[in-house]
Amino acid sequence: MTWILASRALILSCLESHLAQALPAIGAALLLTIPLARLAQRARPLRGLITIAASLLYAIPSLALFVILPIILATGIRSTLNVVVALALYALALLVPATVEALDAVDHRSLDAATAMGMGRLRRFTTVELPLAGPAIVAALRVATVSTISLTTVGAVLGVRSLGWLFTDGFERGIWPEIIAGVLLTALTALVVDLLIVAGGRLLMPWSRGGGARAGRAAA
């Protein structure tokens, strides 16, 4: 406890760096997921390619990807950009297949009703399909978020500052309170961000609180 109180500035700095890497990666992955999932859904020949490629991304060892990306991006090994790109790719691996399934699960009767009302494809997608698939997409986003916040710590092995730096520094110096602080803060950060996503989902999609039947009535 003494070490934690004496190192508040260091802990806060690591937390800020951690969030500065994890949150942009999550946001970028979500923005890329929607068009990719839509493409996979509409272009059947590309469906298998997109979903399989996204899933295979998660099979790449994180440390290896962090080392390879500087060569591809022409950045330094300790650049935070490498970590953000790697984290976004891993988040895509989780989000794309789940989003494709969520869009496929939308009730076709709701889509037929929207078409009968004169809605074009774009309007139908943004006002009917996405809202109905929204709860499932949010569920996948929660999983991807927790995974991303956890994986962000791996960058510390390469010298990129994050909460993971508390692990490595504490281990090297034999300071157990530093290690414990890093572990607990990583878990707490994931929990807080997850709760914010849940709150945001309920705010943007109030119909999701009452379940699928209520969602269908709201869309109709």
Side-chain angles (χ1 to χ4, degrees), residues 89-144:
L89 290 175
Y90 283 125
L92 277 172
L94 295 173
L95 285 172
V96 170
T99 302
V100 172
E101 291 181 4
L103 292 174
D104 283 343
V106 173
D107 192 341
H108 287 283
R109 290 173 297 181
S110 299
L111 302 182
D112 291 340
T115 302
M117 292 172 62
M119 291 187 184
R121 286 186 176 181
L122 179 60
R123 185 184 174 193
R124 189 183 70 176
F125 177 68
T126 56
T127 62
V128 178
E129 290 183 72
L130 269 184
L132 288 178
I137 295 174
V138 168
L141 178 62
R142 293 176 64 189
V143 174

Side-chain angles (χ1 to χ4, degrees), residues 155-174:
V157 178
L158 302 176
V160 180
R161 181 68 65 92
S162 69
L163 290 174
W165 190 85
L166 298 177
F167 307 167
T168 57
D169 184 68
F171 180 77
E172 290 175 359
R173 299 166 61 190

